Amino acid sequence: TRVLTARIAHLVEEARVPPQRVLAVTFTNKAARELRERITRLIGPCEADAITMGTFHSLCLAILRQDITRLPEELPYRSGFAVYDEYSSLKLIKKLKTRLEGGSATGAAEQTAEQKKKDDFSAGAVQAIISAAKNDMYDAQRFRLHPPAKLRALGAQKLRLAAAVFEGYQQTLRDENIIDFDDMLLLTETLLRTSERTRRKYAGHWRHLLVDEFQDTNSVQYQLLSLLARDHKNVFVVGDADQAIYGWRGADIRNQARLDSEFAIRTLPPAVPAVPLPHGAYESVQALQTAVQAIP
């Protein structure tokens, strides 16, 4: 975050970039608040308030609130849509799954420990599959026709059930003008990809894009970055491949290679020497090792 804030301060104060032309994205609301606080201390509240800062989800929600009606005809969402949280999403998925299995849907999201033990393919498991599929840019139809290879171990029966729930789930959301958290990203990517007018509107507004914790981005998030920065290519990311620990929730370490391929990386001049970290940079190592060893 410190590197990102220093870059933003440089753009605004030294490169004289209008702050409203800067977009900075991070992954949690807490990190976004911290980012704004640090920027405010560096450049003052007036200019900091003009910068768009937030999470990928908050950014996409704001775009959809403005332009969701520009989605393709097969996605007939309307202004004033509602947003499902994880609980509401699970409740609907359980209802659909129970109906498809021929049981009696109660609509309850919670399961007892005994029920979970009996149901080795729970509504929660189906919810996780649907969420992961959306983060890999699968819609319900593509999932049914060409399910991800990594799910083949589930077996054909469970895959068919998951695909049927996925299709019913998305149809219900569309009919009731509702999106879920994963749709925020996927629908925004679809909007920017299919509506050149909308893409140019936002790409032209934000001329400098900065992303913190880049190693945590998934496929949809990278595509959003690509669509917004395609024209000007003013992209600055901070990430560490050694800290890529969120593959289980969709983070794709291949995004680093995609970035290197799509955007020209500005190299340092040969005259700039490498500067090793000072010895003091490692002073916390021993303290951490001692603390870990003290854990019973």
Side-chain angles (χ1 to χ4, degrees):
T1 302
R2 182 178 179 182
V3 174
L4 205 72
T5 55
R7 172 67 176 175
I8 294 172
H10 167 78
L11 288 173
V12 174
E13 294 194 320
E14 297 184 35
R16 313 309 297 174
V17 173
Q20 63 269 24
R21 302 301 184 199
V22 177
L23 169 64
V25 184
T26 187
F27 280 83
T28 67
N29 291 323
K30 180 181 179 182
R33 287 193 298 271
E34 180 182 349
L35 180 63
R36 184 168 293 280
E37 289 169 0
R38 291 189 180 189
I39 289 295
T40 300
R41 289 196 294 268
L42 286 173
I43 65 176
C46 290
E47 292 187 313
D49 288 346
I51 297 172
T52 302
M53 289 180 267
T55 64
F56 273 101
H57 286 86
S58 66
L59 169 68
C60 290
L61 181 59
I63 290 175
L64 292 175
R65 290 292 186 202
Q66 289 288 323
D67 293 297
I68 197 168
T69 56
R70 293 183 177 177
L71 281 166
E73 291 182 359
E74 62 269 23
L75 296 170
Y77 289 94
R78 306 177 301 280
S79 299
F81 59 86
V83 178
Y84 259 3
D85 59 14
E86 187 174 353
Y87 175 86
S88 299
S89 171
L90 180 59
K91 186 176 179 180
L92 174 58
I93 287 171
K94 182 175 183 181
K95 181 179 179 180
L96 292 167
K97 178 176 178 289
T98 304
R99 183 185 301 161
L100 287 164
E101 290 174 325
S104 175
T106 64
E110 293 86 357
Q111 291 178 298
T112 65
E114 186 64 26
Q115 286 172 326
K116 288 181 179 179
K117 185 176 179 181
K118 290 179 179 178
D119 186 4
D120 64 343
F121 194 50
S122 66
V126 177
Q127 181 185 40
I129 288 171
I130 292 173
S131 178
K134 289 184 179 183
N135 286 326
D136 284 337
M137 302 182 67
Y138 279 78
D139 59 18
Q141 182 180 22
R142 182 188 175 200
F143 185 92
R144 175 173 56 82
L145 296 174
H146 306 287
K150 61 186 176 183
L151 295 180
R152 288 173 184 166
L154 286 175
Q157 183 177 358
K158 288 180 179 179
L159 275 177
R160 283 195 298 269
L161 177 58
V165 173
F166 194 174
E167 287 190 315
Y169 175 73
Q170 288 304 122
Q171 186 62 54
T172 301
L173 294 188
R174 285 196 297 270
D175 290 345
E176 299 185 10
N177 201 34
I178 298 169
I179 68 173
D180 64 16
F181 274 36
D182 297 312
D183 287 332
M184 288 183 194
L185 303 181
L186 194 57
L187 288 176
T188 304
E189 190 276 337
T190 301
L191 173 64
L192 298 178
R193 176 169 43 83
T194 58
S195 173
E196 181 64 10
R197 176 184 174 187
T198 306
R199 189 195 70 81
R200 287 185 177 275
K201 169 185 172 181
Y202 292 103
H205 180 74
W206 294 308
R207 305 298 296 177
H208 290 267
L209 277 61
L210 303 96
V211 182
D212 200 9
E213 304 293 350
F214 182 73
Q215 76 278 355
D216 294 334
T217 53
N218 60 33
S219 298
V220 187
Q221 289 162 339
Y222 180 81
Q223 283 303 117
L224 289 166
L225 179 66
S226 174
L227 287 162
L228 289 171
R230 180 175 298 167
D231 300 333
H232 53 70
K233 297 188 181 296
N234 291 323
V235 177
F236 184 90
V237 305
V238 178
D240 181 357
D242 291 334
Q243 296 185 42
I245 60 174
Y246 290 111
W248 56 273
R249 70 178 187 188
D252 191 344
I253 193 60
R254 293 173 299 179
N255 286 345
Q256 182 62 62
R258 294 179 180 127
L259 183 82
D260 294 347
S261 174
E262 183 172 0
F263 300 97
I265 304 300
R266 184 178 301 173
T267 57
L268 292 174
V272 179
V275 180
L277 288 172
H279 177 72
Y282 302 96
E283 287 180 351
S284 62
V285 173
Q286 185 58 50
L288 288 171
Q289 292 176 341
T290 302
V292 169
Q293 291 169 0
I295 298 175

